[in-house]
Amino acid sequence: MRYRTLGKDLAVSAVGLGCMGMSHAYGAPSDKKEMKELLAEAVDMGYTFFDTAEVYGTPENPHHNEELVGEALKPYRNKVVIATKFGIHFHMESRQVNKPLVPDSRPEVIRASVENSLKRLGTDHIDLYYQHRVDEAVPIEEVAGVMQELIQEGKITHWGLSEAGEETIRRAHRVCPVTAIQNRYSMMARWHEALFPVLEELDIGYVAFSPLANGFLSARYGKDSTFEPGTDYRSVMPQFAPQALEQNAKLLELLRTVAEGKHATPGQISLAWMLCKKPYLVPIPGTRKPDRLKENAGAADILLTDKDIQVLDRQLDSMEMSDVFGGTKCRCR
């Protein structure tokens, strides 16, 4: 595994592990013992960056993922960076499979959240604490002020913003330096590339969630793939709809062609494309399977040249694609 730095001084593995899917959004939670073994295996492979949130869970156990991550990583706590998030809850009365998000970043809510996350994670500090979504009802300067206090108290060491745009990033950074943003980014979701100059100016890292477009860019899914209704969000994601396979055929063909030339997998090329684009980009693909864990880590060893990236970007620019889940292109402020 290779390593890189977010912000000024947060060293992390070049590929992180998004832990959400072990507990939330991809069907029923996996067996806890198996996932603890998987997380230990990740540490052995060189992963040092693990991402969770207070809301990743089930109706029966809304905080399942933080508890799992805390238990599994306890023996390795001094070797790993744990990121978690505050500031939203789900609108559980909704009948939607993917429940609407309700932002709430009032200072007293943040204070309660950080204490509860510390307990569930079994740690005395959080390495990277994100506002999960911008709360229009609370000025970002007020949120950043609370982050500054938490850093001074030693409860967190770094903080970040998720699904935030330039205006919010700049305003927050002026109050308390932001270490990283965590925004969606993949070959199918490139709208946040406009933030690259801002991040470089302010020395802020970019943590890419859904870097494989929720697994679609692994090229392992076909028209016969099925997803559990009600608990697996992929059952309602546009990129997995039957008609999307035809719309995305050229994209998958491109990935397979490049992968063959690099002796890699399509998923590895999808990750290497962003890793080789910017030194401050860190993808956090999720998985429940040891072979995928190893495959994703291997993406850090694949070299794509600047010319390779330019050629790929030109092809992606002109290529027909389906919609992709989570397309908040114009709503990030």
Side-chain angles (χ1 to χ4, degrees):
M1 179 69 79
R2 298 179 186 274
Y3 299 86
R4 47 188 57 186
T5 301
L6 297 174
K8 295 190 181 303
D9 62 2
L10 187 61
V12 298
S13 50
V15 178
L17 179 57
C19 301
M20 180 189 77
M22 300 174 185
S23 306
H24 175 84
Y26 289 83
S30 286
D31 178 78
K32 186 178 256 190
K33 181 176 180 293
E34 289 180 9
M35 292 303 95
K36 287 172 71 173
E37 291 172 354
L38 184 74
L39 286 160
E41 202 168 337
V43 175
D44 288 342
M45 285 183 195
Y47 283 86
T48 64
F49 189 31
F50 298 85
D51 184 86
T52 183
E54 65 176 346
V55 293
Y56 295 161
T58 65
E60 297 74 29
N61 184 359
H63 311 297
H64 182 278
N65 202 243
E66 279 192 332
E67 293 171 358
L68 166 64
V69 169
E71 289 177 28
L73 296 181
K74 189 173 182 178
Y76 317 102
R77 185 63 187 97
N78 63 345
K79 297 181 179 180
V80 300
V81 170
I82 297 177
T84 192
K85 310 177 195 75
F86 68 89
I88 62 168
H89 60 270
F90 293 110
H91 178 42
M92 296 306 293
E93 287 71 36
S94 170
R95 294 187 178 183
Q96 294 182 36
V97 174
N98 177 24
K99 306 295 185 189
L101 306 180
V102 182
D104 189 348
S105 284
R106 290 172 293 164
E108 63 271 24
V109 173
I110 297 173
R111 286 278 178 184
S113 289
V114 73
E115 296 297 341
N116 288 326
S117 287
L118 286 167
K119 289 176 185 174
R120 285 189 291 266
L121 291 167
T123 185
D124 63 356
H125 72 280
I126 293 163
D127 301 294
L128 181 53
Y129 201 39
Y130 295 105
Q131 183 187 35
H132 209 150
R133 291 293 185 273
V134 175
D135 184 351
E136 299 290 350
V138 180
I140 194 60
E141 291 84 356
E142 192 170 347
V143 175
V146 177
M147 296 300 105
Q148 185 69 65
E149 293 169 0
L150 294 178
I151 290 171
Q152 290 168 351
E153 294 164 18
K155 292 178 179 176
I156 70 173
T157 60
H158 304 78
W159 85 290
L161 298 158
S162 183
E163 288 288 80
E166 179 177 353
E167 178 189 345
T168 299
I169 293 167
R170 288 189 181 279
R171 287 169 54 197
H173 192 74
R174 280 195 288 267
V175 177
C176 182
V178 175
T179 292
I181 64 163
Q182 185 182 130
N183 285 12
R184 183 177 299 275
Y185 187 52
S186 72
M187 285 183 166
M188 298 183 76
R190 296 173 58 203
W191 43 87
H192 291 304
E193 288 181 350
L195 290 174
F196 288 167
V198 180
L199 302 180
E200 288 160 17
E201 174 194 339
L202 301 179
D203 197 8
I204 295 173
Y206 191 140
V207 176
F209 76 85
S210 298
L212 296 176
N214 307 99
F216 183 82
L217 295 173
S218 68
R220 294 175 183 265
Y221 296 92
K223 60 184 177 180
D224 297 326
S225 299
T226 59
F227 307 105
E228 187 178 316
T231 60
D232 192 327
Y233 289 9
R234 289 172 296 184
S235 63
V236 295
M237 290 182 185
Q239 68 266 38
F240 291 101
Q243 65 273 20
L245 280 176
E246 186 173 336
Q247 287 177 281
N248 296 316
K250 288 185 179 178
L251 173 59
L252 296 180
E253 181 183 352
L254 172 65
L255 279 171
R256 292 187 177 108
T257 299
V258 177
E260 185 176 351
K262 296 289 184 178
H263 306 288
T265 67
Q268 287 177 324
I269 296 301
S270 299
L271 298 175
W273 165 79
M274 64 178 72
L275 285 165
C276 295
K277 183 174 283 196
K278 298 292 182 182
Y280 52 82
L281 259 167
V282 177
I284 51 167
T287 188
R288 300 182 180 194
K289 299 178 179 178
D291 60 331
R292 303 285 172 80
L293 191 71
K294 184 176 181 181
E295 178 183 331
N296 293 341
D301 295 320
I302 296 169
L303 177 64
L304 297 178
T305 66
D306 289 344
K307 184 177 180 180
D308 290 334
I309 299 294
Q310 290 167 8
V311 169
L312 281 169
D313 281 355
R314 283 199 297 270
Q315 291 178 286
L316 294 172
D317 287 340
S318 62
M319 191 174 288
E320 180 190 7
M321 296 183 196
S322 72
D323 287 337
V324 64
F325 177 72
T328 53
K329 298 180 188 179
C330 301
R331 298 205 297 273
C332 295
R333 292 176 52 195

